[in-house]
Amino acid sequence: MRQFFPVDDLARDERFVQTNMAERMKDARTTVDVDAATAKSRASSNRLTPDRHDASDGARSLMHGIMVGEIQALEGAGRTAHDFEAGDGSGDTIPFELKLDMARQAWDEARHVEISVKLSDWMGTELGQFAENTVLFEAACSNDPILRLAGVNRALEGLAIDVFTQMKEFGNLAGDPYLEFCEDWMLADEVTHVKMGSDWLRKVTENDPDRRKKALEFQQVVDKLFSFGGARGETDESPIGLARRFRELAGFSDDEVDTISMMDQEALDERKEAIRAFHAQADAQPTPA
Amino acid sequence: MAAVSTAKITVTPSEFHFVKYEAQDIVDVVTELAEMLGVANPIHVIVDESTPLSKLAAEADGTSSDSTLTLRAESGALENTKRFTHFSADAARGSLGRTLLRAKDRLRSDYAEAPDDFDLSLAENAAWDTYCAGRLDRMGVKLNKQRWLYNYRNRFGFSDDGDAAFERLWSADDLSWTELIAGP
């Protein structure tokens, strides 16, 4: 079986249309308060809660993002279980027990895909209705298995913790019994996946501080990407919050969560700056007669 | 249902910078909808292209057949969700169709008490959206009924009584404002 699958080769049927971060960031429209003239905030907050006028559509869109994210997480964990030989963790090998953890994660993700498909149906969403951002799988394409752990298990699954916490809270506030229940169960799995990544990253790089440093730096790069231009963050400008408590349970230190929070804010500020520049450019264009 | 519409339709802005929309595509969709819904009033569509959100609002500057109907749409309401910033005639048909039905309702005397769209409560909005979506669906506009049921449940609760009230609104054709907001 082929190893090291590039993102372009992911198998999808004709219902799915893929996009990437570069394409998403070209969209100069915004919901954040860039300046007084262009403020498009939903009342006082952008946070995805039932009191937003577009609450159910926002939740449906996010649920679809979760569903395709689960597919990519399944693919990422499956690839890591398969792509590397069993060994002592040095070079391109991974411990056999790490392979088993990746296989278990792939099983969990497959279950999450099924749950997410059923939830999407329940919420009135068709599969493939929204573009699929492949940035999650891109974090799983490194040739170094430890970078994959940092990118997938800590950054991607860390994002999943934030998103599931948000959706669980949404289900709770809206009184949607299925949404709250399912998100709670999937959240528990995600905490386990992040913990597996945290534990294996520490264990495999125990005697290789340079490799650990490189992996953590890679994780920071991926974490900033996964902020989606500040769509995740601790202020109410971000639709998705940072789930500090569950991240702590998953093995993130306070310092690590503070760093992610800071990067989320940086991503939001950079996004605002880019939008300001686009607005200035648009304003400079001549008005048609 | 009127076979021919004489509606005069205008779109603002005439050129888009943030999204890849053409004003003429919007005119075409609204012309088709006006014909389908039997609306002969002048119609002005105002698109806010600076936001990806999808809020909609309908206004009527009177109750006569020559009163101007203004349909306001944030750009996300007309968007192809598979290709961001690109126009979708299907999405526009669903969004502007609901909004045009609202505007048409506002021409009726028994909607005089309805607040402006931006002053409606979330529940009133959900009820009116259900009523409009159900009518559009029966006219052949492609809609996902489950989406509207989920929207309604989010405002009126996840219960059998709520679902029964949704069905009543979805299948209704001639409700007054008072009947529309009666709730489950």
Side-chain angles (χ1 to χ4, degrees):
Chain A
M1 195 166 102
R2 182 177 164 189
Q3 291 171 304
F4 301 103
F5 244 58
V7 68
D8 294 339
D9 286 355
L10 288 177
R12 297 287 184 274
D13 66 32
E14 67 282 356
R15 288 172 296 183
F16 292 85
V17 173
Q18 297 182 330
T19 186
N20 55 40
M21 282 303 285
E23 285 299 315
R24 290 300 288 126
M25 290 299 122
K26 279 184 200 165
D27 185 351
R29 296 169 299 167
T30 183
T31 61
V32 297
D33 192 357
V34 174
D35 58 53
T38 58
K40 296 293 169 191
S41 296
R42 307 168 177 92
S44 59
S45 169
N46 273 332
R47 198 52 55 93
L48 181 55
T49 54
D51 59 356
R52 256 173 53 173
H53 75 80
D54 61 341
S56 64
D57 280 345
R60 290 186 323 105
S61 169
L62 184 55
M63 192 64 238
H64 192 275
I66 290 174
M67 191 266 293
V68 293
E70 296 294 354
I71 296 174
Q72 292 175 39
L74 161 61
E75 289 163 324
R79 295 310 315 173
T80 301
H82 173 73
D83 285 350
F84 305 102
E85 297 298 324
D88 62 1
S90 61
D92 289 341
T93 69
I94 56 174
F96 183 68
E97 293 80 0
L98 172 51
K99 274 180 175 272
L100 290 182
D101 273 350
M102 290 298 106
R104 173 250 159 98
Q105 185 178 332
W107 192 355
D108 288 345
E109 306 295 7
R111 192 172 60 253
H112 294 181
V113 172
E114 287 198 50
I115 292 169
S116 301
V117 167
K118 287 183 193 304
L119 279 175
S120 293
D121 192 40
W122 159 252
M123 297 164 89
T125 305
E126 288 149 30
L127 297 190
Q129 185 175 341
F130 299 90
E132 175 187 9
N133 191 329
T134 53
V135 67
L136 304 181
F137 185 78
E138 285 168 40
C141 290
S142 172
N143 290 339
D144 183 338
I146 299 309
L147 262 60
R148 285 201 196 178
L149 283 179
V152 176
N153 283 71
R154 287 177 52 86
L156 190 161
E157 300 292 284
L159 170 66
I161 285 177
D162 301 328
V163 171
F164 286 140
T165 302
Q166 193 71 46
M167 285 296 266
K168 175 179 178 295
E169 191 178 310
F170 183 97
N172 181 32
L173 291 171
D176 179 343
Y178 296 122
L179 184 63
E180 187 198 5
F181 181 83
C182 293
E183 298 296 330
D184 194 30
W185 279 69
M186 291 194 285
L187 173 59
D189 287 337
E190 302 302 355
V191 171
T192 306
H193 299 163
V194 175
K195 186 78 167 60
M196 289 188 324
S198 302
D199 291 348
W200 279 116
L201 195 148
R202 263 191 289 271
K203 194 168 178 179
V204 175
T205 62
E206 200 168 11
N207 300 313
D208 192 343
D210 285 346
R211 196 178 184 196
R212 178 180 294 183
K213 185 167 173 278
K214 196 174 150 196
L216 292 175
E217 283 171 357
F218 179 68
Q219 185 194 318
Q220 289 199 356
V221 171
V222 177
D223 261 324
K224 191 165 179 181
L225 269 177
F226 286 178
S227 177
F228 297 109
R232 177 190 65 193
E234 294 203 280
T235 71
D236 281 351
E237 285 187 286
S238 304
I240 302 162
L242 195 57
R244 280 185 173 267
R245 174 63 184 143
F246 287 110
R247 280 180 172 271
E248 182 191 324
L249 289 172
F252 281 95
S253 68
D254 286 347
D255 284 350
E256 285 178 314
V257 180
D258 286 342
T259 302
I260 294 169
S261 174
M262 192 184 69
M263 287 189 306
D264 286 343
Q265 188 59 46
E266 278 175 13
L268 179 62
D269 291 341
E270 286 168 14
R271 176 84 179 129
K272 285 182 180 179
E273 194 51 48
I275 289 166
R276 276 189 207 103
F278 191 92
H279 282 222
Q281 192 184 356
D283 289 346
Q285 292 189 21
T287 309
Chain B
M1 194 187 304
V4 178
S5 166
T6 56
K8 182 177 184 327
I9 295 158
T10 51
V11 173
T12 301
S14 56
E15 261 185 33
F16 293 88
H17 299 296
F18 292 74
V19 290
K20 299 173 181 70
Y21 296 0
E22 297 292 336
Q24 187 57 47
D25 291 340
I26 298 169
V27 169
D28 291 347
V29 168
V30 177
T31 302
E32 176 195 323
L33 287 166
E35 197 169 303
M36 181 193 296
L37 303 177
V39 175
N41 299 60
I43 300 170
H44 185 201
V45 181
I46 301 173
V47 179
D48 180 352
E49 61 165 335
S50 69
T51 172
L53 297 179
S54 51
K55 178 98 177 150
L56 298 160
E59 297 160 24
D61 69 359
T63 54
S64 67
S65 60
D66 60 356
S67 300
T68 299
L69 308 180
T70 302
L71 315 182
R72 295 180 186 275
E74 292 178 332
S75 71
L78 316 178
E79 186 172 29
N80 181 345
T81 51
K82 293 185 187 221
R83 296 189 71 207
F84 296 114
T85 72
H86 286 70
F87 180 74
S88 161
D90 281 342
R93 233 171 255 124
S95 297
L96 296 175
R98 291 193 335 269
T99 317
L100 188 55
L101 273 171
R102 274 195 190 205
K104 191 180 176 195
D105 289 340
R106 285 186 180 281
L107 296 173
R108 293 170 48 144
S109 57
D110 52 2
Y111 277 75
E113 299 301 313
D116 288 346
D117 272 14
F118 287 106
D119 295 328
L120 291 169
S121 69
L122 294 172
E124 288 168 341
N125 246 316
W128 209 345
D129 272 338
T130 302
Y131 176 45
C132 293
R135 285 181 286 171
L136 266 190
D137 186 59
R138 284 190 294 284
M139 289 180 173
V141 173
K142 190 177 151 196
L143 295 171
N144 184 328
K145 185 178 179 182
Q146 186 69 19
R147 170 190 171 190
W148 294 106
L149 175 59
Y150 191 71
N151 185 55
Y152 189 85
R153 284 169 167 166
N154 267 282
R155 301 303 175 209
F156 291 94
F158 291 72
S159 68
D160 290 345
D161 286 348
D163 287 3
F166 170 85
E167 284 299 335
R168 280 196 299 276
L169 285 177
W170 183 269
S171 56
D173 277 313
D174 187 28
L175 295 179
S176 67
W177 172 247
T178 312
E179 290 166 328
L180 174 62
I181 58 168

